Amino acid sequence: MLTLALPKGRLAEESIELMLEQGWLNGRPDPDSKELIFKDSKGKVRILLVRSQDVATYVEQNSADAGIVGWDVLLEGGYDLLLPLDLGIGKCRLSVAAPKGWSLSSGERKVRVATKYPNIAKEFFLKKGINCEVIKLYGSIELAPLVGLSDCIVDLVSTGATLKANNLEEIEIIMESTARLIFNRSSLYTKRKEIGEFLDSFSALEKQL
């Protein structure tokens, strides 16, 4: 049995749908359940439901054999993992956003940036030649510029509805992100057969992208 770490929420739902289509699951976890471990009746996969930022850690530390997580999370963390497939789901973009009227500037003033992606944000502003102070937050990032905590934010954008609701606008796209299938390096040897079958069933999906 493979242990697979999935991020709670929409990406987990999309991932589970793919596994149902590929015959790895018989059913979905109960949406009303508070349980964080789901064992499917087929006995092929055990699912761990964790925070998106924790998926790669569970896989890297061998608490899960594999995981599905956004490319943004992987770039931010710099994990030692095998990343064989882009699944093409969970599409979004990591962008700079700010109150209307604000723009990127290479002036002398230090720009304050609120984000949960400090490494990616620092690299982006450095390449722009902009001095920045990164303020790391874990949620409600859009609130920061509204109360004067930051000048702008770096955060994931899907539809842009949350930005609009908070009178923010997208200034520049830093990167596009989709979900990647990741594996623990030691699991590749200890569960070679199961991982091989899992990879084969999803490889066709990548070719269709």
Side-chain angles (χ1 to χ4, degrees), residues 129-158:
I130 300 173
N131 191 16
C132 75
E133 174 190 353
V134 172
I135 302 165
K136 187 169 183 179
L137 297 177
Y138 295 93
S140 302
I141 310 293
E142 296 83 4
L143 182 62
L146 303 182
V147 298
L149 180 61
S150 71
D151 299 302
C152 63
I153 65 173
V154 169
D155 202 14
L156 288 181
V157 178
S158 182

Side-chain angles (χ1 to χ4, degrees), residues 9-23:
R10 182 172 62 91
L11 186 51
E13 294 171 5
E14 291 184 55
S15 302
I16 288 167
E17 189 62 37
L18 282 182
M19 286 189 283
L20 284 167
E21 292 172 3
Q22 298 300 315

Side-chain angles (χ1 to χ4, degrees), residues 15 28 43 60 64 79 90 94 111 116 119 125 142 158 180 192 208:
S15 302
R28 297 175 173 84
E60 186 180 48
Y79 302 95
L94 188 66
V111 174
K116 56 184 174 183
N119 295 326
F125 281 95
E142 296 83 4
S158 182
R180 308 301 167 99
R192 182 179 294 273
Q208 295 170 13

Side-chain angles (χ1 to χ4, degrees), residues 76-77 89 120 157:
E76 176 63 27
I89 59 175
I120 295 175
V157 178

